[in-house]
Amino acid sequence: MKLVWSPETASKAYIDTVKSCEVHQESSVAELISAMAAGWNAKLILETWSHGGILATSIGLAIASRHTDGRHVCIVPDELSRSQYEEAMGEAGISPEIIIGEAEEVMEGLAGIDFMVVDSRQRDFAGVLRVAKLSSRGAVLVCKNASSRKESSFRWRSVVDDGSRRLVRSVFLPVGNGLDIAHVATSGGSSSNSGKGESRWIKHVDRQSGEEYVIRK
């Protein structure tokens, strides 16, 4: 199985997020991310959030999970963040599922992630992406606030290519404070040694759009 795009579900989530996030900052980011999560029919949607963060994206993800009959989980680092997140989401009519703890540790108990959003301004965001247990269908990973991240040397391949996962495509979008998005495929990890000869992956970057393509030779 693999991720399959549904434009109808994406459109519904987009419109509902527009209605819910009219008064929020960076609502354009929320609308886009919500449409993506719903369009890919994500069943387990995961995000990391901390005290003081913008809630529009979280609202969009919650709306997307309603349209996919999925689960939306938010990982927060402490009780203060949990309280603020729960109160703000409650005001939007949403009862969130929140897990408190260090994101890298919490990830151990969350398998089958289809869609994940992390904040590039958090120092451990790359580590969280690296340990994420992705769905057998693959996953879409999103780094928001990508233009502000301190880790300028970040490369998707360094966190997703580990034998059982491979980068299919990545793109940077100048929306909000920057969105860095990757589509990652997963496998059992042993199919590459099937005796049919080694294959290799060639990367091509479109200099005009910034999109990165991975081609198998």
Side-chain angles (χ1 to χ4, degrees):
M1 295 181 65
K2 63 180 181 178
L3 292 173
V4 178
W5 179 254
S6 170
E8 181 180 356
T9 308
S11 177
K12 290 178 180 178
Y14 181 94
I15 293 171
D16 285 351
T17 304
V18 169
K19 294 177 181 177
S20 298
C21 295
E22 290 177 338
V23 298
H24 288 270
Q25 297 178 14
E26 296 192 7
S27 61
S28 59
V29 173
E31 295 150 8
L32 175 59
I33 291 179
S34 178
M36 289 175 59
W40 287 116
N41 195 32
K43 296 301 183 182
L44 177 53
I45 301 172
L46 185 68
E47 68 166 322
T48 60
W49 190 88
S50 59
H51 175 68
I54 293 174
L55 268 298
T57 297
S58 302
I59 294 172
L61 291 175
I63 290 171
S65 70
R66 291 176 181 173
H67 285 283
T68 65
D69 292 321
R71 178 185 176 195
H72 168 227
V73 180
C74 180
I75 301 174
V76 298
D78 49 45
E79 181 60 32
L80 176 62
S81 297
R82 185 207 63 78
S83 177
Q84 184 185 30
Y85 185 89
E86 185 173 53
E87 180 180 355
M89 294 291 277
E91 291 176 356
I94 297 169
S95 298
E97 181 176 351
I98 309 170
I99 301 177
I100 303 174
E102 291 296 327
E104 289 188 54
E105 297 177 4
V106 173
M107 298 295 285
E108 287 296 317
L110 293 168
I113 299 167
D114 294 307
F115 197 91
M116 182 174 176
V117 181
V118 298
D119 191 337
S120 297
R121 294 177 297 190
Q122 296 177 349
R123 58 180 177 79
D124 62 342
F125 81 93
V128 174
L129 293 169
R130 190 173 289 112
V131 301
K133 296 180 178 180
L134 307 184
S135 162
S136 59
R137 302 188 304 154
V140 174
L141 308 178
V142 181
C143 293
K144 63 180 182 179
N145 296 313
S147 298
S148 300
R149 63 186 167 208
K150 298 178 181 178
E151 198 171 327
S152 59
S153 61
F154 173 80
R155 296 292 182 274
W156 278 112
R157 196 170 298 280
S158 68
V159 299
V160 300
D161 279 0
D162 61 3
S164 62
R165 311 190 299 183
R166 64 176 175 81
L167 179 66
V168 177
R169 181 179 181 184
S170 68
V171 62
F172 175 86
L173 300 179
V175 181
N177 200 23
L179 291 176
D180 200 354
I181 305 168
H183 178 198
V184 181
T186 58
S187 68
S190 59
S191 60
S192 59
N193 297 320
S194 58
K196 296 183 179 180
E198 294 186 0
S199 60
R200 60 195 179 100
W201 296 89
I202 298 176
K203 180 176 72 174
H204 171 70
V205 178
D206 188 316
R207 296 185 180 278
Q208 291 186 332
S209 67
E211 292 185 327
E212 180 178 296
Y213 302 88
V214 180
I215 306 169
R216 192 169 191 171
K217 290 289 188 179

